[in-house]
């Protein structure tokens, strides 16, 4: 299932950081991403981009010798967002009720 691959890809903090940069900049080359993500080198960024592409979370556009990456909003990211929204929407809707039902406790 494509959403499963996407969730697996999102489990890594570096991949989430890459997606964060792509969300800010819309499109980046590997070099631009490597400048922003200093915890790993350019080769590591490329490896993480391969995983994100395989999961359908990013797309690649070749322009000469450069590859430009961007988030794929039509891919499995849509399923991931819908799943998370459904999970949290119900929990958040019931939160005020659960909060009122909690027994009063003091922190000493």
């Amino acid at each position: 299932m494509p959403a499963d691959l996407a969730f697996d890809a999102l489990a890594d903090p570096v991949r989430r950081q890459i997606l964060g940069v792509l969300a800010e900049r819309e499109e980046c080359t590997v070099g631009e991403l490597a400048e922003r993500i200093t915890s790993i080198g350019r080769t590591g960024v490329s490896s993480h981009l391969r995983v994100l592409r395989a999961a359908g979370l990013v797309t690649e556009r070749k322009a000469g010798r450069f590859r430009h990456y961007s988030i794929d909003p039509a891919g499995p990211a849509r399923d991931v967002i819908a799943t998370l929204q459904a999970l949290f929407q119900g929990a958040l809707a019931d939160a005020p009720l659960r909060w009122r039902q909690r027994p009063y406790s003091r922190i000493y």
Side-chain angles (χ1 to χ4, degrees), residues 21 23 41 44 52 64 68 71 74-77 83 95 97 100 107:
V21 172
L52 290 168
H68 298 268
I71 293 177
T83 299
L97 177 62
R100 279 186 250 127
I107 300 174

Side-chain angles (χ1 to χ4, degrees), residues 49-64:
L49 283 167
R50 269 193 298 281
V51 173
L52 290 168
R53 271 188 46 232
L57 295 173
V58 299
T59 60
E60 175 186 79
R61 179 180 67 81
K62 294 179 184 177

Side-chain angles (χ1 to χ4, degrees), residues 38-88:
T38 58
S39 61
I40 59 172
R42 188 183 187 118
T43 304
V45 169
S46 291
S47 296
H48 284 291
L49 283 167
R50 269 193 298 281
V51 173
L52 290 168
R53 271 188 46 232
L57 295 173
V58 299
T59 60
E60 175 186 79
R61 179 180 67 81
K62 294 179 184 177
R65 61 185 192 102
F66 294 100
R67 295 170 191 235
H68 298 268
Y69 294 89
S70 59
I71 293 177
D72 184 1
R78 183 176 295 184
D79 296 335
V80 168
I81 292 167
T83 299
L84 291 173
Q85 188 173 22
L87 286 171
F88 287 104

Side-chain angles (χ1 to χ4, degrees), residues 3-15:
D4 291 341
L5 283 175
F7 276 110
D8 287 346
L10 291 169
D12 187 279
V14 173
R15 291 187 201 122

